[in-house]
Amino acid sequence: MSIIETTVIVFGTTGIACGALLAIASRVFAIKEDPRIGKVCELLPGANCGGCGYAGCADYAKAIIMNDAPINLCTVGGAETVKKLSTFLGKTAEAAERKVAIVLCRGDEANAPKNSIYNGIVDCSAANLVSGGNKKCRYGCLGYGSCARVCPTGAIEIKDGIAVVHPELCIGCGACVKVCPRKIIKLIPASRKLHVFCSSLDKGPAVKKVCKVGCIGCSLCSKLAPDNAIVMSGALAVVDYSKNIDDEKATILEQKCPGKCIRKT
């Protein structure tokens, strides 16, 4: 028998033996997955957006079955998905209120001037690293579209130099919230219609120098808003979205705001 034939036989036998051992090991050490995980994953919308706090629908399905995670965390599926999961798992839960993203800034090109020309990577984080961005307001939207690029549904567009959210397209995944370097994008209940479109922590005189529609910290809105639905955080008025403001009162607050930063949507 030649050396080549011997080599082929040895390697062939070794390969077959290793294959057999692997097949045996895969059966002996196999981890059986609860079949309910696959079914729950099928009932989820498959967006894999991470809005539930898990890496994707498969991870969320596994957490529901293995770790008894709440079944109402899916922001995309909403009440319909909760109903399906309730029926399948025999659990009861109320669907969480739908949330949408909002950019708390109205400092577009007409209202908030820039202090320099930025010539670099078209990315908000990159621009923010260069002397804190090229906008005179150090809290305002930079407008380079990082949030729009991570949005899985195209719910954000850059309009006149700032990010604008289309709530009808928003699934509340929170990807834009995470990527914004200035932390001015928030997830809020979709039913809330009154907002303070400003995030500046500076006092009134400083705000007026850099933006025509910024909060000047007059605190008038906090006095007019019912049930402390608007409170002052230093010099900035902040809406407490856990409390509702009816349409009539919202209209009054919008009209009375001297900084023109309180708006209804």
Side-chain angles (χ1 to χ4, degrees), residues 9-55:
I9 292 172
V10 170
F11 276 99
T13 303
T14 303
I16 293 172
C18 289
L21 287 172
L22 287 172
I24 294 171
S26 66
R27 289 178 175 275
V28 173
F29 298 106
I31 299 175
K32 294 182 179 180
E33 184 177 88
D34 191 320
R36 294 179 300 165
I37 295 175
K39 180 59 179 177
V40 169
C41 194
E42 291 177 9
L43 296 176
L44 293 171
N48 293 313
C49 63
C52 59
Y54 295 91

Side-chain angles (χ1 to χ4, degrees), residues 16-211:
I16 293 172
C18 289
L21 287 172
L22 287 172
I24 294 171
S26 66
R27 289 178 175 275
V28 173
F29 298 106
I31 299 175
K32 294 182 179 180
E33 184 177 88
D34 191 320
R36 294 179 300 165
I37 295 175
K39 180 59 179 177
V40 169
C41 194
E42 291 177 9
L43 296 176
L44 293 171
N48 293 313
C49 63
C52 59
Y54 295 91
C57 292
D59 275 1
Y60 181 36
K62 187 175 181 180
I64 289 174
I65 299 301
M66 304 299 292
N67 302 321
D68 199 30
I71 63 173
N72 61 350
L73 300 181
C74 180
T75 56
V76 180
E80 184 179 350
T81 295
V82 171
K83 184 179 179 180
K84 291 178 181 178
L85 293 174
S86 296
T87 302
F88 176 66
L89 298 170
K91 296 181 178 181
T92 58
E94 291 186 7
E97 183 175 1
R98 177 174 174 259
K99 290 188 176 183
V100 296
I102 188 167
V103 182
L104 295 180
C105 175
R106 288 186 62 230
D108 57 17
E109 294 174 351
N111 291 313
K114 296 180 179 180
N115 55 20
S116 62
I117 297 175
Y118 172 69
N119 184 17
I121 300 172
V122 184
D123 177 81
C124 295
S125 293
N128 196 50
L129 288 173
V130 181
S131 300
N134 64 328
K135 215 167 194 175
K136 286 187 177 182
C137 176
R138 57 196 178 116
Y139 300 97
C141 175
L142 291 166
Y144 291 105
S146 295
C147 53
R149 286 189 289 274
V150 299
C151 179
T153 61
I156 303 176
E157 70 168 320
I158 304 303
K159 188 175 181 180
D160 297 327
I162 64 170
V164 178
V165 178
H166 296 284
E168 70 278 7
L169 299 176
C170 180
I171 59 175
C173 67
C176 56
V177 176
K178 295 174 185 175
V179 80
C180 177
R182 294 197 163 179
K183 306 304 178 186
I184 61 173
I185 305 179
K186 309 294 182 184
L187 281 180
I188 65 166
S191 61
R192 302 300 185 248
K193 303 301 181 183
L194 188 75
H195 318 286
V196 177
F197 283 99
C198 182
S199 299
S200 177
L201 300 178
D202 290 338
K203 294 183 178 180
V207 172
K208 291 176 71 174
K209 288 181 180 179
V210 297
C211 185

